[in-house]
Amino acid sequence: MVKHGASYPGREVMARESLRILFVAPRIPFPPLYGDQVRAWNLLKYLSRRHTIVLVNPVFGSFGGEVQDRVRAVCYRWMPVKVARVIRLANLYKYVFTRLPIQTILFCPPQLSKVVRNVVLCNDFELVHIELVRCAPVLVEVEALPRVIDFVDALSLNMHCRSLHRRGLVRLIFQEEARRLATLERQAVYSSERQLICSQQDKEAIGKFPTLHVVPNGVDLDDFAYSEYGRESNLITFTGHMSYAPNADAAVYFAREVFPIIRARIPEARFFVVGAHPPAMVRALGRVPGVVVTGSVARMQEYLWRTTVAVAPIRLGSGIQNKVLEAMACGAPVVATSLASQGLEHAVDGEHLIVADDPDTMAQRTVDLLKDRGLRLQLARNARRLVEAEYTWERVVAKVEQVYRLAMGR
């Protein structure tokens, strides 16, 4: 098997045709902390190797020199649209008077549409790429150009799933947000030439439109290198940005309901919750015997290379789970819920990862892996081969470029 830092033959060659692309995102793609930032960042990084890209996105705070340098390195020109936070929050009054979802009101301020309108008038673009339904109102500003909107996942489905675990007024707000997003998603389909979505389940949530193409996420194989060495004993790891509600819920669920069963069978077992900005309910898990909450770390890979088993006990949300792909790439055998694995249509339960949905089953399957090195290696090697074959960013971008050509009528 391949060790850290190795290169991989057989990378797919991207399309030969170079395009001038306007890329509109709902926030700065770097650092890629959230799922949509991971996708936007890698699309920009790989597309910029062949295409001329102008990036426009709103900025709701300050950013450092490193962010500026990194973003400018992946596009021909970067046009950050600064929006004061007080103005951003003040825009929420529109929620009462329009049918726009909160997601769109917060991430697609009028200033963004104005800048997009002006930049299109002053430049000769061949295509517009809009990231997330949050930025769907921008579609009307670029009607003269071929438009591709990348939904990433079905945010309407995400909000619906999250509403099921809420009560009272909060549940009603999530349900209303899901309805508004569903309407906006369908409108965006009719207002663009082509659309992208990361999984078949998310596509079905929006609708089986012939212009809606499933293009999964990928992994940087060099950055998330495979390793079988240096792994600690009885270490279980869950990774992700912990301010994201589905991740926080998953961490609490595993620590409170699954991990105690594991500790009863393997007292030496440890559970690491690795990710930035953990809320109070996640930080409190540090008081549970055997649980460590790290907070922000320099490189998630260091923990994926150390862990015995990676878990993805996701119960809320939608889309494809980057954390699962990254663990599979790094050689960490994965135990995941059905929801966490459903976006990986090529992954087979028992061959590439383990799927478990109730606490007792998830605990037992995790214990089985902790005790059986041969089973861990079998899963890890199969998973890495699957990632190399189906989930590289080169492969993803090649599919995106095919959709671009369809949008342009070629």
Side-chain angles (χ1 to χ4, degrees):
M1 301 302 290
V2 184
K3 298 182 181 180
H4 295 287
S7 59
Y8 301 89
R11 298 286 180 87
E12 291 197 15
V13 178
M14 293 194 290
R16 299 291 188 270
E17 185 177 10
S18 179
L19 300 173
R20 296 182 299 278
I21 301 170
L22 174 61
F23 195 108
V24 183
R27 52 183 164 189
I28 302 175
F30 188 88
L33 298 176
Y34 293 94
D36 64 283
Q37 290 176 304
V38 171
R39 186 164 169 113
W41 174 251
N42 283 283
L43 290 182
L44 287 166
K45 186 167 63 173
Y46 285 87
L47 285 168
S48 65
R49 295 178 179 180
R50 292 204 56 83
H51 306 289
T52 301
I53 299 176
V54 174
L55 170 64
V56 179
N57 64 263
V59 175
F60 306 110
S62 60
F63 54 86
E66 180 188 2
V67 170
Q68 182 171 284
D69 293 342
R70 295 293 296 273
V71 174
R72 287 181 173 171
V74 297
C75 53
Y76 173 75
R77 185 182 180 192
W78 179 35
M79 301 179 65
V81 181
K82 294 185 178 181
V83 181
R85 289 177 179 174
V86 64
I87 294 177
R88 184 190 190 200
L89 294 176
N91 284 335
L92 285 174
Y93 81 90
K94 297 177 183 178
Y95 189 75
V96 180
F97 301 103
T98 74
R99 299 298 298 167
L100 289 175
I102 295 174
Q103 298 275 328
T104 299
I105 294 171
L106 287 177
F107 288 94
C108 190
Q111 297 95 316
L112 180 65
S113 294
K114 181 179 179 180
V115 169
V116 168
R117 182 166 59 250
N118 291 335
V119 74
V120 167
L121 289 173
C122 300
N123 291 271
D124 184 22
F125 294 110
E126 295 174 277
L127 180 132
V128 179
H129 177 118
I130 295 175
E131 198 73 1
L132 287 185
V133 73
R134 290 169 175 169
C135 292
V138 170
L139 286 167
V140 301
E141 308 294 346
V142 292
E143 289 179 326
L145 292 167
R147 296 158 295 178
V148 173
I149 182 167
D150 184 4
F151 290 117
V152 184
D153 58 359
L155 283 179
S156 58
L157 176 62
N158 187 300
M159 293 297 138
H160 171 71
C161 292
R162 291 165 70 171
S163 74
L164 301 178
H165 292 259
R166 305 288 180 169
R167 295 180 179 179
L169 179 60
V170 175
R171 182 171 188 171
L172 293 175
I173 292 173
F174 272 99
Q175 289 175 337
E176 177 61 19
E177 185 75 354
R179 282 191 289 269
R180 294 190 182 199
L181 282 164
T183 299
L184 188 60
E185 285 165 347
R186 287 191 293 273
Q187 290 174 348
V189 170
Y190 294 123
S191 301
S192 58
E193 280 64 38
R194 296 284 164 169
Q195 309 83 39
L196 306 171
I197 196 78
C198 71
S199 77
Q200 186 63 37
Q201 291 79 10
D202 288 81
K203 175 177 179 175
E204 292 173 359
I206 293 176
K208 296 182 179 180
F209 296 99
T211 56
L212 180 54
H213 303 266
V214 176
V215 178
N217 283 347
V219 180
D220 186 319
L221 295 181
D222 294 327
D223 200 23
F224 289 87
Y226 181 92
S227 178
E228 296 177 358
Y229 308 100
R231 298 197 174 274
E232 301 178 17
S233 299
N234 301 316
L235 175 59
I236 305 162
T237 302
F238 173 59
T239 61
H241 201 285
M242 292 303 150
S243 69
Y244 182 51
N247 284 341
D249 172 83
V252 173
Y253 163 68
F254 191 90
R256 301 289 187 189
E257 300 186 39
V258 181
F259 187 59
I261 302 174
I262 296 172
R263 286 273 286 190
R265 300 171 187 174
I266 304 179
E268 305 82 22
R270 294 163 294 152
F271 176 44
F272 276 34
V273 180
V274 184
H277 304 130
M281 66 178 184
V282 174
R283 295 196 301 271
L285 299 177
R287 296 193 290 270
V288 177
V291 177
V292 175
V293 180
T294 68
S296 181
V297 297
R299 281 176 60 79
M300 202 76 75
Q301 296 92 317
E302 299 295 337
Y303 290 86
L304 293 175
W305 289 324
R306 288 172 52 191
T307 195
T308 320
V309 176
V311 294
I314 301 294
R315 304 188 298 171
L316 313 175
S318 59
I320 193 168
Q321 296 295 320
N322 293 319
K323 60 177 64 63
V324 175
L325 284 174
E326 291 165 356
M328 292 168 69
C330 287
V334 176
V335 178
T337 59
S338 298
L339 185 61
S341 61
Q342 69 178 7
L344 304 174
E345 62 179 66
H346 300 285
V348 177
D349 180 19
E351 181 178 350
H352 305 107
L353 78 173
I354 300 295
V355 178
D357 287 312
D358 63 89
D360 287 330
T361 304
M362 180 165 277
Q364 184 57 57
R365 302 308 298 274
T366 304
V367 167
D368 291 343
L369 279 174
L370 291 174
K371 292 183 174 182
D372 190 337
R373 184 174 184 272
L375 179 58
R376 294 199 304 271
L377 289 177
Q378 177 184 339
L379 282 176
R381 291 170 180 175
N382 290 342
R384 174 66 188 201
R385 282 192 286 267
L386 177 65
V387 170
E388 291 176 354
E390 300 291 343
Y391 298 105
T392 67
W393 282 115
E394 290 91 339
R395 187 179 181 87
V396 169
V397 168
K399 292 180 178 180
V400 170
E401 290 175 317
Q402 290 173 5
V403 175
Y404 286 172
R405 291 195 292 275
L406 290 172
M408 299 173 70
R410 299 181 183 179

